[in-house]
Amino acid sequence: FQNIIFEKIIGEQAEVLKNKPSGFENMFSNNKLDELSEAYRLFLNYEPSLDIFLKEMNKYIKAKGKEIY
């Protein structure tokens, strides 16, 4: 039952934040550390959402690295 709740609520939230202009990219770009920390702690409870979060973070870090280099 708990997995169904995590999938519906947390899983869907990760997808929304991935695709929303005010989502992950905005949080990373504007150093919204409190929001990022809360999202990370929430997504720790549901691995597919954590994977989405980490992929988005990886994408952001690579883009910033290319800007610097």
Side-chain angles (χ1 to χ4, degrees), residues 6-25 27 39 42-43 46-53 55-56 59:
F6 283 149
E7 182 179 342
K8 283 293 182 193
I9 297 173
I10 298 172
E12 290 175 5
Q13 187 63 27
E15 284 295 332
V16 168
L17 289 172
K18 175 183 170 188
N19 298 314
K20 194 172 185 181
S22 61
F24 291 133
E25 186 176 343
M27 289 184 214
L42 177 66
F43 297 146
Y46 187 64
E47 191 171 335
S49 294
L50 181 60
D51 289 344
I52 291 169
F53 178 82
K55 285 177 185 174
E56 290 300 306
K59 186 168 66 173

Side-chain angles (χ1 to χ4, degrees), residues 27-54:
M27 289 184 214
F28 293 128
S29 297
N30 293 304
N31 293 320
K32 295 186 176 186
L33 301 179
D34 289 337
E35 291 176 26
L36 287 166
S37 179
E38 288 176 27
Y40 177 77
R41 282 194 303 265
L42 177 66
F43 297 146
L44 276 175
N45 294 308
Y46 187 64
E47 191 171 335
S49 294
L50 181 60
D51 289 344
I52 291 169
F53 178 82
L54 295 176

